[in-house]
Amino acid sequence: MISIEPVAAPDAPLARRNPVAKVAAALVFSFTLLATLDPVAPAIAIALELAVLPLFGIRYRVLARRAWPLLLSAAGILVTLVLFAADRSGRVLLDAGPVLVSTGVLLTALGLVLRVFAVALPGVIVFATTDPTDLADALIQNAKAPARFAIGALAAFRLVPLLGQEWQMISMARRARGVDAGRNPVAKLRLFASTAFALLVGAIRRGTRLAVAMDARGFDAGTPRTVARHQHFTGADALLIAGAVVLAAAALTTSVALGTFRPLIS
């Protein structure tokens, strides 16, 4: 079951901040780390993110459950670089035919894996502490986003949990009809692809029906819309964004001071 509901303590000091402020702070902190390829800056950023996690009211075990797909991404990056990296500099650690592992490959892989975690964790934290409806309201009121875009994104976001349920229903229906891959890995891959395609078709059909229903109810009207839930942007929200800028700058400054800074564009 896919869950999109916030899991943070509602009285946590940073969890109460304006959703737009949290999104802006996450974007500033994440995109600043894209300027370097070294592992030091993202490692410091991850340490800072984990240090401020209690201020968002999230337990570390809950964050691990939300962020486990990042482990799959890290494994994919490591395997890809070990097999296909062009830079094989440094001391050779393993030479087994086409697999050549050197210290340069491992250093590059470590930097990319840490960057994936450092860039993705702020987004995971933001959506774990923010109600989707509050985010849509804040985008309309504070970020001046078009109401059609914000409400449409909210509706799509609310449909995400249905994907897990539909996947189970499609799998159970095919199993009831005797369509089972057994222990054949090729058949499992083929069944996975066909199930994913059926899920995609169903999602497109549901999205089309939802769009027509929203237009029929006036969500695309050009008249100004009123709001039922006001989202206020305060000085504390501005301080959150400023704090993200300071922490990201501190991570990059430390990397430069240690002499490990490797600019993305050199």
Side-chain angles (χ1 to χ4, degrees):
M1 178 66 180
I2 303 176
S3 175
I4 61 172
E5 297 300 325
V7 294
D11 58 342
L14 295 185
R16 300 196 307 265
R17 299 277 61 85
N18 186 283
V20 168
K22 289 188 285 186
V23 171
L27 291 176
V28 168
F29 192 82
S30 298
F31 281 103
T32 304
L33 299 174
L34 297 178
T36 179
L37 296 174
D38 72 286
V40 175
I44 296 174
I46 293 174
L48 293 173
E49 292 164 3
L50 296 179
V52 302
L53 192 63
L55 298 178
F56 284 94
I58 305 177
R59 297 182 178 180
Y60 293 102
R61 185 180 301 177
V62 175
L63 179 65
R65 288 201 300 264
R66 285 288 180 105
W68 69 265
L70 297 179
L71 297 176
L72 298 179
S73 302
I77 291 173
L78 182 61
V79 171
T80 302
L81 287 178
V82 168
L83 295 178
F84 305 109
D87 182 13
R88 302 285 179 172
S89 60
R91 186 165 58 91
V92 176
L93 302 177
L94 176 64
D95 188 356
V99 179
L100 178 63
V101 181
S102 65
T103 54
V105 171
L106 291 182
L107 185 62
T108 303
L110 178 62
L112 288 178
V113 168
L114 290 177
R115 284 175 69 202
V116 168
F117 277 94
V119 170
L121 278 180
V124 175
I125 294 173
V126 167
F127 285 102
T129 60
T130 305
D131 182 83
T133 304
D134 292 337
L135 177 59
D137 290 337
L139 287 174
I140 296 173
Q141 299 175 42
N142 305 126
K144 306 304 180 184
R148 182 180 184 181
F149 163 78
I151 296 175
L154 172 62
F157 205 56
R158 289 293 188 187
L159 293 178
V160 170
L162 296 179
L163 296 179
Q165 297 177 2
E166 280 210 1
W167 183 277
Q168 293 179 354
M169 291 176 58
I170 295 172
S171 300
M172 293 172 62
R174 293 189 171 186
R175 194 176 298 116
R177 294 196 297 269
V179 180
D180 193 1
R183 296 184 178 181
N184 189 338
V186 177
K188 284 185 177 181
L189 183 61
R190 191 177 303 164
L191 183 61
F192 176 86
S194 63
T195 305
F197 181 75
L199 185 67
L200 175 63
V201 172
I204 293 175
R205 289 176 177 174
R206 183 182 295 105
T208 302
R209 291 195 299 267
L210 180 61
V212 173
M214 292 178 67
D215 284 344
R217 287 167 173 78
F219 282 95
D220 194 25
T223 56
R225 303 183 62 88
T226 58
V227 293
R229 297 168 297 273
H230 293 277
Q231 299 290 334
H232 301 286
F233 195 94
T234 63
D237 300 314
L239 287 177
L240 175 61
I241 300 176
V245 174
V246 171
L247 292 179
L252 291 180
T253 302
T254 304
S255 176
V256 173
L258 294 177
T260 60
F261 182 78
R262 295 169 55 196
L264 180 63
I265 301 176
S266 57

